[in-house]
Amino acid sequence: SGEASVLGEPAAMMEGGERNSAVRGALESLKPQARQLVSLAFFRGLTQQEIAEACGLPLGTVKATLFRAYQQMRTFLAASGLEPGHE
């Protein structure tokens, strides 16, 4: 049963797929600039300072945009039933 734990149960794999789909939907619900900054943070692993330098934006703008984007994504995921609401 060690192999099953590595591969995961089908239900768990489907749940992961549903979560990935919801996260993708949350990302796509963002404005283009916010989507770009979130993508740089999550998929490229850049720090907020690195993002600011790469995009030619003030650090404060990057921080504020990411903060709002994360809140919007949390709300989207909560509506999808994947994250507890943060009120």
Side-chain angles (χ1 to χ4, degrees):
S1 82
E3 186 177 335
S5 66
V6 171
L7 298 176
E9 296 295 322
M13 290 170 61
M14 182 187 296
E15 181 180 309
E18 290 170 5
R19 178 176 294 274
N20 288 342
S21 177
V23 170
R24 214 172 15 259
L27 190 59
E28 290 171 2
S29 75
L30 301 175
K31 292 181 180 176
Q33 183 185 46
R35 188 180 320 129
Q36 177 189 21
L37 299 185
V38 170
S39 294
L40 290 171
F42 274 99
F43 302 120
R44 296 238 180 125
L46 299 182
T47 66
Q48 292 178 343
Q49 182 65 46
E50 290 169 336
I51 293 168
E53 291 169 6
C55 295
L57 295 170
L59 180 59
T61 299
V62 171
K63 287 183 177 191
T65 302
L66 286 173
F67 179 77
R68 284 191 301 270
Y70 295 153
Q71 283 188 315
Q72 185 177 335
M73 289 180 73
R74 261 191 231 104
T75 300
F76 186 98
L77 292 172
S80 300
L82 293 174
E83 289 273 333
H86 295 280
E87 317 220 76

